[in-house]
Amino acid sequence: MNGVIEYLQDEHTKLNIIKLIKNNLYLYHQINTNEKIQSFSGSIYNYFVSECIQNNQYISLSNETINRINDIYINLVKKLKQISTDNYDNELIESIVINHREQLLKALSENEYHKCDNQLYIPCSEYSGSFQYTLLRLNQFRLLEPVMDIGCGKDYELLKYLEHAGYKDIFGIDQYISDNNYIACTNWFDYKFEPNKWGTVIAHMSFSNHFRRSLINEDINLEKYKDKYAEILRSLQINGLFIYTPSIKQIENSINKSYYSVAYYENMNDRNLDTVVIKRNL
Ligand SMILES: C[S@@+](CC[C@H](N)C(=O)[O-])C[C@H]1O[C@@H](n2cnc3c(N)ncnc32)[C@H](O)[C@@H]1O
């Protein structure tokens, strides 16, 4: 997170943002409906979250923080659209930017789910739908619906691929805002996986990756991950599948095998990267 905090405190980037705002004042005036405000602020919210995730893919924004940052961007857009295009006050623009950055810093510093700092620099990627489909062996199963993709990514590539393949009842969750109404912007800890609901739950390089890391570090989120994982297993319908990579062998070993079966599919000669398919039998 340090990179984003430095970015928010850096004088040079502040001046660049002020310049960018001045050059785009005419654009803000065209944002004249609530729908346009939400859409524009949503895209700059996503840009900010993407900067945070690129900086540290393990950042976990609580729903409270997600809503707070979203509100900060909505307020910013509302303020910018009131500034006159030809007779603007430089000091006003500067104070809007300073105040906006202070609010973001405060929201990040008070984010409930991000107490483990001092991260390594670990970049984050999103993968194509066909890559995920193949690696997760989704062609080998008839996926029961509804399907949930946890941490589906800003561009929800796998869901688009599944939609194209004919699946209809598909959903995703992520920290990004989407204008697609089958994707919810939420932290997975704040999302309730209802019992017996899902035909298929998928998590590619997302939930289990973060869970593994929490397990290795024995950090403060570990119990939350264990509880959420158990909640996900209970949320499967009978014959439903939970399919994910990377694997978390220690956790999979502890699953009650009378209720669930566990299968592994090897990837790239690294057993940590196995695709795991858990099936609810009873
Ligand atoms: C490495 S990306 C993978 C995205 C997608 N599954 C793919 O393979 O292309 C991990 C995703 O998990 C999301 N994520 C991370 N922590 C999250 C959390 N606590 N709640 C919801 N989504 C989260 C990130 O926003 C990011 O989009």
Side-chain angles (χ1 to χ4, degrees), residues 49 53 57-61 124-128 132 149-154 157 173-176 186-189 203-206 210 225:
V49 171
I53 291 176
Q57 71 161 298
Y58 295 107
I59 184 163
S60 175
L61 303 174
C124 171
S125 314
E126 293 194 17
Y127 301 81
S128 75
Q132 296 184 61
D149 187 2
I150 307 177
C152 58
K154 181 152 63 66
E157 293 293 346
I173 57 171
D174 206 291
Q175 303 178 102
Y176 288 108
T186 175
N187 191 296
W188 49 55
F189 289 135
H204 180 260
M205 290 306 289
S206 54
H210 291 234
Y225 273 108

PDB file of all heavy atoms in Angstrom, residues 49 53 57-61 124-128 132 149-154 157 173-176 186-189 203-206 210 225, ligand 1:
ATOM      1  N   VAL A  49      -8.909   1.848  -7.597  1.00  0.00           N
ATOM      2  CA  VAL A  49      -8.788   0.506  -7.011  1.00  0.00           C
ATOM      3  C   VAL A  49      -7.755  -0.306  -7.796  1.00  0.00           C
ATOM      4  O   VAL A  49      -6.954  -1.046  -7.216  1.00  0.00           O
ATOM      5  CB  VAL A  49     -10.171  -0.203  -6.986  1.00  0.00           C
ATOM      6  CG1 VAL A  49     -10.046  -1.671  -6.579  1.00  0.00           C
ATOM      7  CG2 VAL A  49     -11.090   0.520  -6.011  1.00  0.00           C
ATOM      8  N   ILE A  53      -4.579  -2.215  -6.355  1.00  0.00           N
ATOM      9  CA  ILE A  53      -4.363  -3.657  -6.522  1.00  0.00           C
ATOM     10  C   ILE A  53      -3.065  -3.935  -7.280  1.00  0.00           C
ATOM     11  O   ILE A  53      -2.337  -4.877  -6.967  1.00  0.00           O
ATOM     12  CB  ILE A  53      -5.586  -4.297  -7.222  1.00  0.00           C
ATOM     13  CG1 ILE A  53      -6.781  -4.254  -6.262  1.00  0.00           C
ATOM     14  CG2 ILE A  53      -5.301  -5.734  -7.639  1.00  0.00           C
ATOM     15  CD1 ILE A  53      -8.078  -4.766  -6.842  1.00  0.00           C
ATOM     16  N   GLN A  57      -1.631  -6.744  -4.668  1.00  0.00           N
ATOM     17  CA  GLN A  57      -2.842  -7.460  -5.054  1.00  0.00           C
ATOM     18  C   GLN A  57      -3.603  -7.987  -3.842  1.00  0.00           C
ATOM     19  O   GLN A  57      -4.739  -8.433  -3.974  1.00  0.00           O
ATOM     20  CB  GLN A  57      -2.517  -8.589  -6.014  1.00  0.00           C
ATOM     21  CG  GLN A  57      -1.798  -9.755  -5.412  1.00  0.00           C
ATOM     22  CD  GLN A  57      -1.935 -10.979  -6.304  1.00  0.00           C
ATOM     23  OE1 GLN A  57      -3.016 -11.478  -6.553  1.00  0.00           O
ATOM     24  NE2 GLN A  57      -0.809 -11.470  -6.797  1.00  0.00           N
ATOM     25  N   TYR A  58      -2.987  -7.967  -2.655  1.00  0.00           N
ATOM     26  CA  TYR A  58      -3.673  -8.536  -1.497  1.00  0.00           C
ATOM     27  C   TYR A  58      -4.490  -7.504  -0.724  1.00  0.00           C
ATOM     28  O   TYR A  58      -5.033  -7.802   0.321  1.00  0.00           O
ATOM     29  CB  TYR A  58      -2.668  -9.238  -0.574  1.00  0.00           C
ATOM     30  CG  TYR A  58      -2.048 -10.425  -1.265  1.00  0.00           C
ATOM     31  CD1 TYR A  58      -0.739 -10.396  -1.709  1.00  0.00           C
ATOM     32  CD2 TYR A  58      -2.805 -11.565  -1.514  1.00  0.00           C
ATOM     33  CE1 TYR A  58      -0.182 -11.474  -2.377  1.00  0.00           C
ATOM     34  CE2 TYR A  58      -2.252 -12.644  -2.178  1.00  0.00           C
ATOM     35  CZ  TYR A  58      -0.947 -12.594  -2.602  1.00  0.00           C
ATOM     36  OH  TYR A  58      -0.418 -13.667  -3.266  1.00  0.00           O
ATOM     37  N   ILE A  59      -4.566  -6.288  -1.262  1.00  0.00           N
ATOM     38  CA  ILE A  59      -5.397  -5.299  -0.564  1.00  0.00           C
ATOM     39  C   ILE A  59      -6.848  -5.785  -0.561  1.00  0.00           C
ATOM     40  O   ILE A  59      -7.353  -6.281  -1.558  1.00  0.00           O
ATOM     41  CB  ILE A  59      -5.301  -3.886  -1.166  1.00  0.00           C
ATOM     42  CG1 ILE A  59      -6.119  -2.939  -0.306  1.00  0.00           C
ATOM     43  CG2 ILE A  59      -5.742  -3.836  -2.612  1.00  0.00           C
ATOM     44  CD1 ILE A  59      -5.819  -1.497  -0.495  1.00  0.00           C
ATOM     45  N   SER A  60      -7.476  -5.629   0.592  1.00  0.00           N
ATOM     46  CA  SER A  60      -8.833  -6.127   0.757  1.00  0.00           C
ATOM     47  C   SER A  60      -9.680  -4.979   1.290  1.00  0.00           C
ATOM     48  O   SER A  60      -9.555  -4.584   2.447  1.00  0.00           O
ATOM     49  CB  SER A  60      -8.746  -7.291   1.751  1.00  0.00           C
ATOM     50  OG  SER A  60      -9.985  -7.784   2.089  1.00  0.00           O
ATOM     51  N   LEU A  61     -10.516  -4.409   0.431  1.00  0.00           N
ATOM     52  CA  LEU A  61     -11.318  -3.255   0.839  1.00  0.00           C
ATOM     53  C   LEU A  61     -12.630  -3.746   1.434  1.00  0.00           C
ATOM     54  O   LEU A  61     -13.368  -4.480   0.774  1.00  0.00           O
ATOM     55  CB  LEU A  61     -11.607  -2.360  -0.372  1.00  0.00           C
ATOM     56  CG  LEU A  61     -10.392  -1.835  -1.130  1.00  0.00           C
ATOM     57  CD1 LEU A  61     -10.823  -1.092  -2.387  1.00  0.00           C
ATOM     58  CD2 LEU A  61      -9.549  -0.921  -0.245  1.00  0.00           C
ATOM     59  N   CYS A 124      -0.371  -7.956  -9.877  1.00  0.00           N
ATOM     60  CA  CYS A 124      -1.591  -8.741 -10.030  1.00  0.00           C
ATOM     61  C   CYS A 124      -2.006  -8.742 -11.489  1.00  0.00           C
ATOM     62  O   CYS A 124      -1.870  -7.738 -12.170  1.00  0.00           O
ATOM     63  CB  CYS A 124      -2.663  -8.079  -9.192  1.00  0.00           C
ATOM     64  SG  CYS A 124      -4.289  -8.726  -9.434  1.00  0.00           S
ATOM     65  N   SER A 125      -2.502  -9.880 -11.969  1.00  0.00           N
ATOM     66  CA  SER A 125      -2.943  -9.910 -13.363  1.00  0.00           C
ATOM     67  C   SER A 125      -4.369 -10.412 -13.453  1.00  0.00           C
ATOM     68  O   SER A 125      -4.839 -11.101 -12.557  1.00  0.00           O
ATOM     69  CB  SER A 125      -2.125 -10.891 -14.181  1.00  0.00           C
ATOM     70  OG  SER A 125      -0.799 -10.768 -13.942  1.00  0.00           O
ATOM     71  N   GLU A 126      -4.977 -10.093 -14.566  1.00  0.00           N
ATOM     72  CA  GLU A 126      -6.234 -10.743 -14.906  1.00  0.00           C
ATOM     73  C   GLU A 126      -5.966 -11.596 -16.133  1.00  0.00           C
ATOM     74  O   GLU A 126      -5.081 -11.286 -16.933  1.00  0.00           O
ATOM     75  CB  GLU A 126      -7.323  -9.702 -15.167  1.00  0.00           C
ATOM     76  CG  GLU A 126      -7.670  -8.961 -13.899  1.00  0.00           C
ATOM     77  CD  GLU A 126      -8.944  -8.147 -13.967  1.00  0.00           C
ATOM     78  OE1 GLU A 126      -9.761  -8.377 -14.875  1.00  0.00           O
ATOM     79  OE2 GLU A 126      -9.111  -7.295 -13.093  1.00  0.00           O
ATOM     80  N   TYR A 127      -6.720 -12.677 -16.263  1.00  0.00           N
ATOM     81  CA  TYR A 127      -6.423 -13.670 -17.290  1.00  0.00           C
ATOM     82  C   TYR A 127      -7.584 -13.780 -18.280  1.00  0.00           C
ATOM     83  O   TYR A 127      -8.724 -13.481 -17.926  1.00  0.00           O
ATOM     84  CB  TYR A 127      -6.170 -15.033 -16.626  1.00  0.00           C
ATOM     85  CG  TYR A 127      -5.019 -14.980 -15.642  1.00  0.00           C
ATOM     86  CD1 TYR A 127      -5.211 -14.495 -14.346  1.00  0.00           C
ATOM     87  CD2 TYR A 127      -3.735 -15.367 -16.015  1.00  0.00           C
ATOM     88  CE1 TYR A 127      -4.159 -14.415 -13.443  1.00  0.00           C
ATOM     89  CE2 TYR A 127      -2.681 -15.300 -15.126  1.00  0.00           C
ATOM     90  CZ  TYR A 127      -2.893 -14.814 -13.836  1.00  0.00           C
ATOM     91  OH  TYR A 127      -1.849 -14.742 -12.952  1.00  0.00           O
ATOM     92  N   SER A 128      -7.286 -14.248 -19.473  1.00  0.00           N
ATOM     93  CA  SER A 128      -8.344 -14.338 -20.484  1.00  0.00           C
ATOM     94  C   SER A 128      -9.342 -15.423 -20.070  1.00  0.00           C
ATOM     95  O   SER A 128      -9.012 -16.356 -19.315  1.00  0.00           O
ATOM     96  CB  SER A 128      -7.750 -14.674 -21.844  1.00  0.00           C
ATOM     97  OG  SER A 128      -7.392 -16.036 -21.870  1.00  0.00           O
ATOM     98  N   GLN A 132      -8.570 -19.256 -18.391  1.00  0.00           N
ATOM     99  CA  GLN A 132      -9.161 -19.700 -17.115  1.00  0.00           C
ATOM    100  C   GLN A 132     -10.016 -20.952 -17.320  1.00  0.00           C
ATOM    101  O   GLN A 132      -9.982 -21.886 -16.518  1.00  0.00           O
ATOM    102  CB  GLN A 132     -10.029 -18.598 -16.512  1.00  0.00           C
ATOM    103  CG  GLN A 132      -9.259 -17.342 -16.117  1.00  0.00           C
ATOM    104  CD  GLN A 132     -10.181 -16.339 -15.451  1.00  0.00           C
ATOM    105  OE1 GLN A 132     -10.766 -16.603 -14.422  1.00  0.00           O
ATOM    106  NE2 GLN A 132     -10.304 -15.162 -16.046  1.00  0.00           N
ATOM    107  N   ASP A 149     -18.532 -16.488  -9.672  1.00  0.00           N
ATOM    108  CA  ASP A 149     -17.077 -16.331  -9.824  1.00  0.00           C
ATOM    109  C   ASP A 149     -16.590 -15.337  -8.763  1.00  0.00           C
ATOM    110  O   ASP A 149     -16.894 -14.147  -8.822  1.00  0.00           O
ATOM    111  CB  ASP A 149     -16.766 -15.826 -11.242  1.00  0.00           C
ATOM    112  CG  ASP A 149     -15.267 -15.794 -11.527  1.00  0.00           C
ATOM    113  OD1 ASP A 149     -14.478 -16.188 -10.648  1.00  0.00           O
ATOM    114  OD2 ASP A 149     -14.886 -15.373 -12.641  1.00  0.00           O
ATOM    115  N   ILE A 150     -15.828 -15.855  -7.797  1.00  0.00           N
ATOM    116  CA  ILE A 150     -15.358 -15.007  -6.687  1.00  0.00           C
ATOM    117  C   ILE A 150     -14.071 -14.296  -7.117  1.00  0.00           C
ATOM    118  O   ILE A 150     -13.114 -14.945  -7.522  1.00  0.00           O
ATOM    119  CB  ILE A 150     -15.030 -15.862  -5.446  1.00  0.00           C
ATOM    120  CG1 ILE A 150     -16.207 -16.757  -5.076  1.00  0.00           C
ATOM    121  CG2 ILE A 150     -14.632 -14.991  -4.283  1.00  0.00           C
ATOM    122  CD1 ILE A 150     -15.898 -17.663  -3.890  1.00  0.00           C
ATOM    123  N   GLY A 151     -14.031 -12.970  -6.987  1.00  0.00           N
ATOM    124  CA  GLY A 151     -12.851 -12.216  -7.416  1.00  0.00           C
ATOM    125  C   GLY A 151     -12.743 -12.307  -8.934  1.00  0.00           C
ATOM    126  O   GLY A 151     -11.697 -12.659  -9.488  1.00  0.00           O
ATOM    127  N   CYS A 152     -13.860 -11.992  -9.605  1.00  0.00           N
ATOM    128  CA  CYS A 152     -13.961 -12.236 -11.056  1.00  0.00           C
ATOM    129  C   CYS A 152     -13.094 -11.276 -11.862  1.00  0.00           C
ATOM    130  O   CYS A 152     -12.884 -11.497 -13.056  1.00  0.00           O
ATOM    131  CB  CYS A 152     -15.409 -12.128 -11.501  1.00  0.00           C
ATOM    132  SG  CYS A 152     -16.170 -10.538 -11.139  1.00  0.00           S
ATOM    133  N   GLY A 153     -12.620 -10.187 -11.226  1.00  0.00           N
ATOM    134  CA  GLY A 153     -11.753  -9.238 -11.951  1.00  0.00           C
ATOM    135  C   GLY A 153     -12.554  -8.076 -12.510  1.00  0.00           C
ATOM    136  O   GLY A 153     -13.763  -8.153 -12.680  1.00  0.00           O
ATOM    137  N   LYS A 154     -11.823  -7.011 -12.823  1.00  0.00           N
ATOM    138  CA  LYS A 154     -12.460  -5.789 -13.343  1.00  0.00           C
ATOM    139  C   LYS A 154     -13.203  -6.093 -14.647  1.00  0.00           C
ATOM    140  O   LYS A 154     -14.278  -5.585 -14.882  1.00  0.00           O
ATOM    141  CB  LYS A 154     -11.371  -4.730 -13.581  1.00  0.00           C
ATOM    142  CG  LYS A 154     -11.892  -3.412 -14.094  1.00  0.00           C
ATOM    143  CD  LYS A 154     -11.007  -2.245 -13.682  1.00  0.00           C
ATOM    144  CE  LYS A 154      -9.588  -2.282 -14.231  1.00  0.00           C
ATOM    145  NZ  LYS A 154      -9.463  -2.152 -15.674  1.00  0.00           N
ATOM    146  N   GLU A 157     -13.552 -11.639 -17.269  1.00  0.00           N
ATOM    147  CA  GLU A 157     -13.353 -12.342 -18.547  1.00  0.00           C
ATOM    148  C   GLU A 157     -13.962 -13.742 -18.558  1.00  0.00           C
ATOM    149  O   GLU A 157     -14.530 -14.175 -19.561  1.00  0.00           O
ATOM    150  CB  GLU A 157     -11.850 -12.444 -18.875  1.00  0.00           C
ATOM    151  CG  GLU A 157     -11.169 -11.124 -19.162  1.00  0.00           C
ATOM    152  CD  GLU A 157     -11.662 -10.450 -20.451  1.00  0.00           C
ATOM    153  OE1 GLU A 157     -12.329 -11.127 -21.249  1.00  0.00           O
ATOM    154  OE2 GLU A 157     -11.395  -9.252 -20.623  1.00  0.00           O
ATOM    155  N   ILE A 173     -18.405 -11.551  -8.012  1.00  0.00           N
ATOM    156  CA  ILE A 173     -18.154 -10.497  -7.024  1.00  0.00           C
ATOM    157  C   ILE A 173     -16.698 -10.049  -7.147  1.00  0.00           C
ATOM    158  O   ILE A 173     -15.812 -10.843  -7.469  1.00  0.00           O
ATOM    159  CB  ILE A 173     -18.450 -10.925  -5.556  1.00  0.00           C
ATOM    160  CG1 ILE A 173     -17.645 -12.153  -5.135  1.00  0.00           C
ATOM    161  CG2 ILE A 173     -19.927 -11.152  -5.348  1.00  0.00           C
ATOM    162  CD1 ILE A 173     -17.760 -12.467  -3.643  1.00  0.00           C
ATOM    163  N   ASP A 174     -16.480  -8.762  -6.896  1.00  0.00           N
ATOM    164  CA  ASP A 174     -15.125  -8.208  -6.894  1.00  0.00           C
ATOM    165  C   ASP A 174     -15.150  -6.851  -6.201  1.00  0.00           C
ATOM    166  O   ASP A 174     -16.236  -6.327  -5.911  1.00  0.00           O
ATOM    167  CB  ASP A 174     -14.553  -8.074  -8.313  1.00  0.00           C
ATOM    168  CG  ASP A 174     -13.030  -8.123  -8.315  1.00  0.00           C
ATOM    169  OD1 ASP A 174     -12.404  -7.174  -7.809  1.00  0.00           O
ATOM    170  OD2 ASP A 174     -12.460  -9.125  -8.777  1.00  0.00           O
ATOM    171  N   GLN A 175     -13.956  -6.321  -5.970  1.00  0.00           N
ATOM    172  CA  GLN A 175     -13.881  -4.998  -5.341  1.00  0.00           C
ATOM    173  C   GLN A 175     -14.108  -3.879  -6.359  1.00  0.00           C
ATOM    174  O   GLN A 175     -14.213  -2.730  -5.986  1.00  0.00           O
ATOM    175  CB  GLN A 175     -12.510  -4.805  -4.698  1.00  0.00           C
ATOM    176  CG  GLN A 175     -12.179  -5.870  -3.681  1.00  0.00           C
ATOM    177  CD  GLN A 175     -10.798  -5.717  -3.084  1.00  0.00           C
ATOM    178  OE1 GLN A 175     -10.642  -5.239  -1.985  1.00  0.00           O
ATOM    179  NE2 GLN A 175      -9.792  -6.123  -3.829  1.00  0.00           N
ATOM    180  N   TYR A 176     -14.127  -4.239  -7.634  1.00  0.00           N
ATOM    181  CA  TYR A 176     -14.372  -3.247  -8.686  1.00  0.00           C
ATOM    182  C   TYR A 176     -15.868  -3.018  -8.862  1.00  0.00           C
ATOM    183  O   TYR A 176     -16.663  -3.946  -8.689  1.00  0.00           O
ATOM    184  CB  TYR A 176     -13.803  -3.741 -10.018  1.00  0.00           C
ATOM    185  CG  TYR A 176     -12.305  -3.729 -10.080  1.00  0.00           C
ATOM    186  CD1 TYR A 176     -11.579  -4.911 -10.053  1.00  0.00           C
ATOM    187  CD2 TYR A 176     -11.609  -2.519 -10.174  1.00  0.00           C
ATOM    188  CE1 TYR A 176     -10.189  -4.902 -10.125  1.00  0.00           C
ATOM    189  CE2 TYR A 176     -10.226  -2.506 -10.242  1.00  0.00           C
ATOM    190  CZ  TYR A 176      -9.523  -3.701 -10.222  1.00  0.00           C
ATOM    191  OH  TYR A 176      -8.158  -3.694 -10.290  1.00  0.00           O
ATOM    192  N   THR A 186     -18.256  -5.998  -3.945  1.00  0.00           N
ATOM    193  CA  THR A 186     -18.245  -6.323  -2.511  1.00  0.00           C
ATOM    194  C   THR A 186     -16.972  -7.066  -2.151  1.00  0.00           C
ATOM    195  O   THR A 186     -16.380  -7.751  -2.984  1.00  0.00           O
ATOM    196  CB  THR A 186     -19.472  -7.202  -2.150  1.00  0.00           C
ATOM    197  OG1 THR A 186     -19.385  -7.608  -0.784  1.00  0.00           O
ATOM    198  CG2 THR A 186     -19.584  -8.450  -2.996  1.00  0.00           C
ATOM    199  N   ASN A 187     -16.585  -6.930  -0.902  1.00  0.00           N
ATOM    200  CA  ASN A 187     -15.494  -7.749  -0.371  1.00  0.00           C
ATOM    201  C   ASN A 187     -16.052  -9.151  -0.116  1.00  0.00           C
ATOM    202  O   ASN A 187     -17.186  -9.285   0.347  1.00  0.00           O
ATOM    203  CB  ASN A 187     -15.002  -7.141   0.947  1.00  0.00           C
ATOM    204  CG  ASN A 187     -13.714  -7.786   1.404  1.00  0.00           C
ATOM    205  OD1 ASN A 187     -13.673  -8.971   1.706  1.00  0.00           O
ATOM    206  ND2 ASN A 187     -12.655  -7.005   1.431  1.00  0.00           N
ATOM    207  N   TRP A 188     -15.264 -10.183  -0.416  1.00  0.00           N
ATOM    208  CA  TRP A 188     -15.808 -11.542  -0.222  1.00  0.00           C
ATOM    209  C   TRP A 188     -16.101 -11.827   1.252  1.00  0.00           C
ATOM    210  O   TRP A 188     -16.963 -12.639   1.556  1.00  0.00           O
ATOM    211  CB  TRP A 188     -14.931 -12.621  -0.847  1.00  0.00           C
ATOM    212  CG  TRP A 188     -13.448 -12.589  -0.563  1.00  0.00           C
ATOM    213  CD1 TRP A 188     -12.840 -12.581   0.656  1.00  0.00           C
ATOM    214  CD2 TRP A 188     -12.391 -12.598  -1.540  1.00  0.00           C
ATOM    215  NE1 TRP A 188     -11.466 -12.593   0.505  1.00  0.00           N
ATOM    216  CE2 TRP A 188     -11.164 -12.609  -0.826  1.00  0.00           C
ATOM    217  CE3 TRP A 188     -12.361 -12.619  -2.923  1.00  0.00           C
ATOM    218  CZ2 TRP A 188      -9.923 -12.615  -1.462  1.00  0.00           C
ATOM    219  CZ3 TRP A 188     -11.133 -12.634  -3.557  1.00  0.00           C
ATOM    220  CH2 TRP A 188      -9.935 -12.632  -2.840  1.00  0.00           C
ATOM    221  N   PHE A 189     -15.415 -11.160   2.175  1.00  0.00           N
ATOM    222  CA  PHE A 189     -15.756 -11.388   3.590  1.00  0.00           C
ATOM    223  C   PHE A 189     -17.131 -10.809   3.920  1.00  0.00           C
ATOM    224  O   PHE A 189     -17.788 -11.252   4.846  1.00  0.00           O
ATOM    225  CB  PHE A 189     -14.729 -10.724   4.512  1.00  0.00           C
ATOM    226  CG  PHE A 189     -13.389 -11.410   4.504  1.00  0.00           C
ATOM    227  CD1 PHE A 189     -12.217 -10.667   4.422  1.00  0.00           C
ATOM    228  CD2 PHE A 189     -13.290 -12.790   4.598  1.00  0.00           C
ATOM    229  CE1 PHE A 189     -10.976 -11.284   4.416  1.00  0.00           C
ATOM    230  CE2 PHE A 189     -12.061 -13.420   4.592  1.00  0.00           C
ATOM    231  CZ  PHE A 189     -10.897 -12.661   4.499  1.00  0.00           C
ATOM    232  N   ALA A 203     -13.117 -19.763  -8.336  1.00  0.00           N
ATOM    233  CA  ALA A 203     -12.212 -18.701  -7.862  1.00  0.00           C
ATOM    234  C   ALA A 203     -10.849 -18.914  -8.518  1.00  0.00           C
ATOM    235  O   ALA A 203     -10.094 -19.811  -8.110  1.00  0.00           O
ATOM    236  CB  ALA A 203     -12.088 -18.732  -6.348  1.00  0.00           C
ATOM    237  N   HIS A 204     -10.564 -18.133  -9.541  1.00  0.00           N
ATOM    238  CA  HIS A 204      -9.285 -18.285 -10.246  1.00  0.00           C
ATOM    239  C   HIS A 204      -8.299 -17.231  -9.749  1.00  0.00           C
ATOM    240  O   HIS A 204      -8.517 -16.036  -9.931  1.00  0.00           O
ATOM    241  CB  HIS A 204      -9.496 -18.136 -11.763  1.00  0.00           C
ATOM    242  CG  HIS A 204      -8.222 -18.292 -12.538  1.00  0.00           C
ATOM    243  ND1 HIS A 204      -7.504 -17.223 -13.017  1.00  0.00           N
ATOM    244  CD2 HIS A 204      -7.522 -19.403 -12.873  1.00  0.00           C
ATOM    245  CE1 HIS A 204      -6.429 -17.665 -13.640  1.00  0.00           C
ATOM    246  NE2 HIS A 204      -6.416 -18.979 -13.563  1.00  0.00           N
ATOM    247  N   MET A 205      -7.231 -17.680  -9.129  1.00  0.00           N
ATOM    248  CA  MET A 205      -6.164 -16.796  -8.637  1.00  0.00           C
ATOM    249  C   MET A 205      -6.744 -15.669  -7.752  1.00  0.00           C
ATOM    250  O   MET A 205      -6.284 -14.534  -7.806  1.00  0.00           O
ATOM    251  CB  MET A 205      -5.383 -16.166  -9.804  1.00  0.00           C
ATOM    252  CG  MET A 205      -4.526 -17.134 -10.554  1.00  0.00           C
ATOM    253  SD  MET A 205      -3.407 -18.048  -9.489  1.00  0.00           S
ATOM    254  CE  MET A 205      -2.243 -16.780  -9.039  1.00  0.00           C
ATOM    255  N   SER A 206      -7.707 -16.027  -6.954  1.00  0.00           N
ATOM    256  CA  SER A 206      -8.321 -14.990  -6.126  1.00  0.00           C
ATOM    257  C   SER A 206      -8.461 -15.486  -4.682  1.00  0.00           C
ATOM    258  O   SER A 206      -7.478 -15.442  -3.930  1.00  0.00           O
ATOM    259  CB  SER A 206      -9.663 -14.550  -6.727  1.00  0.00           C
ATOM    260  OG  SER A 206     -10.507 -15.666  -6.931  1.00  0.00           O
ATOM    261  N   HIS A 210      -5.366 -15.786  -1.806  1.00  0.00           N
ATOM    262  CA  HIS A 210      -5.275 -14.927  -0.619  1.00  0.00           C
ATOM    263  C   HIS A 210      -5.329 -15.779   0.662  1.00  0.00           C
ATOM    264  O   HIS A 210      -4.658 -15.476   1.639  1.00  0.00           O
ATOM    265  CB  HIS A 210      -6.419 -13.903  -0.628  1.00  0.00           C
ATOM    266  CG  HIS A 210      -6.273 -12.868  -1.704  1.00  0.00           C
ATOM    267  ND1 HIS A 210      -6.293 -11.521  -1.442  1.00  0.00           N
ATOM    268  CD2 HIS A 210      -6.090 -12.975  -3.042  1.00  0.00           C
ATOM    269  CE1 HIS A 210      -6.139 -10.852  -2.589  1.00  0.00           C
ATOM    270  NE2 HIS A 210      -6.021 -11.716  -3.559  1.00  0.00           N
ATOM    271  N   TYR A 225     -10.795 -16.447   6.800  1.00  0.00           N
ATOM    272  CA  TYR A 225     -10.717 -17.256   5.580  1.00  0.00           C
ATOM    273  C   TYR A 225     -11.275 -18.658   5.822  1.00  0.00           C
ATOM    274  O   TYR A 225     -12.018 -19.195   4.995  1.00  0.00           O
ATOM    275  CB  TYR A 225      -9.273 -17.330   5.054  1.00  0.00           C
ATOM    276  CG  TYR A 225      -8.975 -16.161   4.140  1.00  0.00           C
ATOM    277  CD1 TYR A 225      -8.141 -15.137   4.545  1.00  0.00           C
ATOM    278  CD2 TYR A 225      -9.566 -16.069   2.885  1.00  0.00           C
ATOM    279  CE1 TYR A 225      -7.901 -14.041   3.717  1.00  0.00           C
ATOM    280  CE2 TYR A 225      -9.330 -14.989   2.050  1.00  0.00           C
ATOM    281  CZ  TYR A 225      -8.501 -13.979   2.474  1.00  0.00           C
ATOM    282  OH  TYR A 225      -8.284 -12.897   1.648  1.00  0.00           O
TER     283      TYR A 225
HETATM  284  C1  LIG B   1      -5.425 -11.879  -9.680  1.00  0.00           C
HETATM  285  S1  LIG B   1      -6.987 -11.098  -9.888  1.00  0.00           S
HETATM  286  C2  LIG B   1      -7.829 -12.436 -10.721  1.00  0.00           C
HETATM  287  C3  LIG B   1      -9.064 -11.983 -11.435  1.00  0.00           C
HETATM  288  C4  LIG B   1      -9.755 -13.097 -12.251  1.00  0.00           C
HETATM  289  N1  LIG B   1     -10.231 -14.143 -11.406  1.00  0.00           N
HETATM  290  C5  LIG B   1      -8.796 -13.618 -13.279  1.00  0.00           C
HETATM  291  O1  LIG B   1      -8.235 -14.702 -13.096  1.00  0.00           O
HETATM  292  O2  LIG B   1      -8.568 -12.914 -14.277  1.00  0.00           O
HETATM  293  C6  LIG B   1      -7.700 -11.169  -8.231  1.00  0.00           C
HETATM  294  C7  LIG B   1      -9.026 -10.440  -8.113  1.00  0.00           C
HETATM  295  O3  LIG B   1      -9.531 -10.652  -6.797  1.00  0.00           O
HETATM  296  C8  LIG B   1     -10.139  -9.451  -6.354  1.00  0.00           C
HETATM  297  N2  LIG B   1     -10.130  -9.423  -4.880  1.00  0.00           N
HETATM  298  C9  LIG B   1      -9.036  -9.414  -4.082  1.00  0.00           C
HETATM  299  N3  LIG B   1      -9.395  -9.377  -2.798  1.00  0.00           N
HETATM  300  C10 LIG B   1     -10.756  -9.356  -2.788  1.00  0.00           C
HETATM  301  C11 LIG B   1     -11.710  -9.325  -1.756  1.00  0.00           C
HETATM  302  N4  LIG B   1     -11.320  -9.335  -0.482  1.00  0.00           N
HETATM  303  N5  LIG B   1     -13.019  -9.323  -2.091  1.00  0.00           N
HETATM  304  C12 LIG B   1     -13.403  -9.336  -3.400  1.00  0.00           C
HETATM  305  N6  LIG B   1     -12.541  -9.384  -4.429  1.00  0.00           N
HETATM  306  C13 LIG B   1     -11.230  -9.388  -4.128  1.00  0.00           C
HETATM  307  C14 LIG B   1      -9.259  -8.352  -6.934  1.00  0.00           C
HETATM  308  O4  LIG B   1      -9.982  -7.135  -6.987  1.00  0.00           O
HETATM  309  C15 LIG B   1      -8.892  -8.917  -8.298  1.00  0.00           C
HETATM  310  O5  LIG B   1      -9.804  -8.495  -9.285  1.00  0.00           O
END
